[in-house]
Amino acid sequence: MGAVSEVHHWREAGKNQHPAEDDGAVPVQSTGDAIAEPVSSQSSMSDGTRLFDVPQAELTSQFVRRWRISGPQICAAFRDAGIEATEWRAASMRSISYECYFQRIYERDDIRPLRSTFLRVRGNASGEVLEISGRIVGPTTDDQGLLDPSLMRIFEVLVSQVRWGDFQDTLIPIQKLLDIRCERFGASFEFKRELSRENSYDFTLVLSQNSNQQVRTRAYFSPDRWMVNPDVARTRPMLLTVSSR
């Protein structure tokens, strides 16, 4: 009788030490080399959902900065606005660079222009834009010091044609002839007073495909960087979390 009592005592103690053997506990499934996860994760795996959705290619243009207009198109837009830019053509006879430009000298001395406007769109033979730049010397202003509308039209056409809305707020400082530099998502737009000449202003709009923002965004949208969604039907069984009473 004493032996039976000792066995009964051992079994009762074993229930507290190993709750998985309790009558009301959830049975343990064989796992092989599966990864242990909570029961709640099983439903998310069964319907094939993931923590992050795979990037959609059609949304790439909303995040990756790129020229949305070709060189010939933006040159034509300048001409339509009354800025007499040339046709898109090779920069020289054997040059691989293409460009269009507008240049007008209103007043000059024996050495250099006193009042002039220069604009150039530079790119390649396929029409891809690489840089838009220019210089305004001796710009005319109104009584409030605001840039003449005929010159301001250059920047209005530029900002509207590249279709990068985040550069819209650069127009107000430019109209007031204030220095401004915007670097946003791989694109850099700068309007500044030339240091060597008090009444001369340079401007440049350039897109850097190698900027940190562009590199990270392109990597995110690259399908080569994403793992293939696992086949749910072949998912190995998981170790269920066992609750105790």
Side-chain angles (χ1 to χ4, degrees), residues 17-129:
Q17 296 176 7
H18 303 282
E21 297 180 4
D22 202 351
D23 294 339
V26 179
V28 178
Q29 297 182 4
S30 175
T31 62
D33 55 351
I35 299 175
E37 290 191 23
V39 177
S40 59
S41 68
Q42 186 176 15
S43 60
S44 65
M45 288 298 296
S46 63
D47 60 9
T49 59
R50 304 167 62 142
L51 182 60
F52 296 104
D53 290 335
V54 176
Q56 302 179 34
E58 59 270 20
L59 299 179
T60 304
S61 62
Q62 298 183 25
F63 299 95
V64 177
R65 182 86 74 179
R66 63 180 59 180
W67 294 103
R68 299 185 179 184
I69 190 170
S70 68
Q73 288 173 331
I74 195 169
C75 295
F78 280 124
R79 290 193 296 271
D80 292 342
I83 303 165
E84 299 175 0
T86 64
E87 296 289 339
W88 186 254
R89 60 194 183 194
S92 61
M93 183 168 293
R94 296 186 178 181
S95 176
I96 61 174
S97 297
Y98 274 62
E99 67 180 18
C100 75
Y101 66 89
F102 165 74
Q103 182 174 17
R104 180 165 295 174
I105 298 176
Y106 308 97
E107 181 183 354
R108 68 179 306 155
D109 57 15
D110 296 336
I111 302 176
R112 57 188 176 182
L114 300 177
R115 290 182 56 241
S116 65
T117 303
F118 176 72
L119 166 69
R120 181 175 67 177
V121 181
R122 187 174 61 87
N124 55 34
S126 63
E128 180 184 7
V129 177

